[in-house]
Amino acid sequence: MRNGEMTRHLYVARHGAADPFGTLTPTGERQAHLLGERLAGLPIDVVWHSPLPRAARTAEILGEHLPGVLVDEAAELVDHVPHVPADPPPAWAGFFDGYDAAEAAAGARLAEALTDRFARPGGAKSHEVLVTHAYPVAWLVRHALGAPADRWLSMSCGNTGLTVLQFREGMPPDLLLYNDMGHLPEELRWTGFGPGTRP
């Protein structure tokens, strides 16, 4: 089998915008439909999603645009802190207050399970959608680039921003897209970020 036939394509997306209780807002539902329309032109095999309701609902909406494609839960995609730095940047120090060694170790195990399952070539050509959360997206990108563990801290992504990773046997991972929001009109972009100037 040639390398091109064994390529694993991952289309990784953060869930749509959600309220403080984790339920998709009308904005989040619209974002998910627009992402589904974008993915509908691709040969998607499966949509995997985090167990959390905001990701599960986003995946359900994607499935409406991908008839016949399996939509299923993957525990490894759950929202989690993948790495607690020993010496966090001052701006992040408060975020990590209260994380004890056991919690940090649990997050590291989840991060390892995530990359072990998804960040590698498969046995055959595949096109998989992963609906997850900002931190796992950042961790997958950091891992693909071979960047230091702390680098996930500076990789933000918007709701339904699309990241595309490609894995081929014997080759380093390819990062084809990161946080692409081209499927969203301007008023639906950049949700999930704090205030600031956006390009």
Side-chain angles (χ1 to χ4, degrees), residues 10-14 128-132 137 140 161-165:
L10 294 185
Y11 305 91
V12 188
R14 185 180 179 186
E128 301 165 69
V129 176
L130 311 184
V131 182
T132 184
V137 174
L140 286 168
L162 182 63
T163 293
V164 181
L165 297 165

Side-chain angles (χ1 to χ4, degrees), residues 33-105:
H33 279 291
L34 290 167
L35 178 59
E37 290 173 11
R38 180 173 182 174
L39 295 173
L42 298 170
I44 302 300
D45 300 304
V46 61
V47 177
W48 300 107
H49 63 82
S50 156
L52 299 180
R54 56 193 184 273
R57 176 60 182 145
T58 299
E60 180 183 16
I61 292 170
L62 297 185
E64 295 173 16
H65 298 271
L66 302 166
V69 172
L70 174 68
V71 177
D72 203 0
E73 181 180 302
E76 297 87 350
L77 296 172
V78 73
D79 200 8
H80 68 281
V81 171
H83 170 76
V84 177
D87 186 22
W92 281 83
F95 178 82
F96 293 109
D97 281 352
Y99 273 89
D100 61 25
E103 289 171 311

Side-chain angles (χ1 to χ4, degrees), residues 92-168:
W92 281 83
F95 178 82
F96 293 109
D97 281 352
Y99 273 89
D100 61 25
E103 289 171 311
R109 285 193 298 272
L110 273 171
E112 184 175 0
L114 173 67
T115 54
D116 282 351
R117 179 168 180 182
F118 292 111
R120 58 181 178 80
K125 183 176 180 180
S126 66
H127 294 262
E128 301 165 69
V129 176
L130 311 184
V131 182
T132 184
H133 309 270
Y135 299 162
V137 174
W139 189 253
L140 286 168
V141 171
R142 181 221 61 82
H143 182 271
L145 296 175
D150 291 2
R151 293 295 289 141
W152 78 270
L153 294 172
S154 61
M155 294 182 184
S156 298
C157 65
N159 296 114
T160 71
L162 182 63
T163 293
V164 181
L165 297 165
Q166 188 172 269
F167 298 90
R168 294 173 289 171

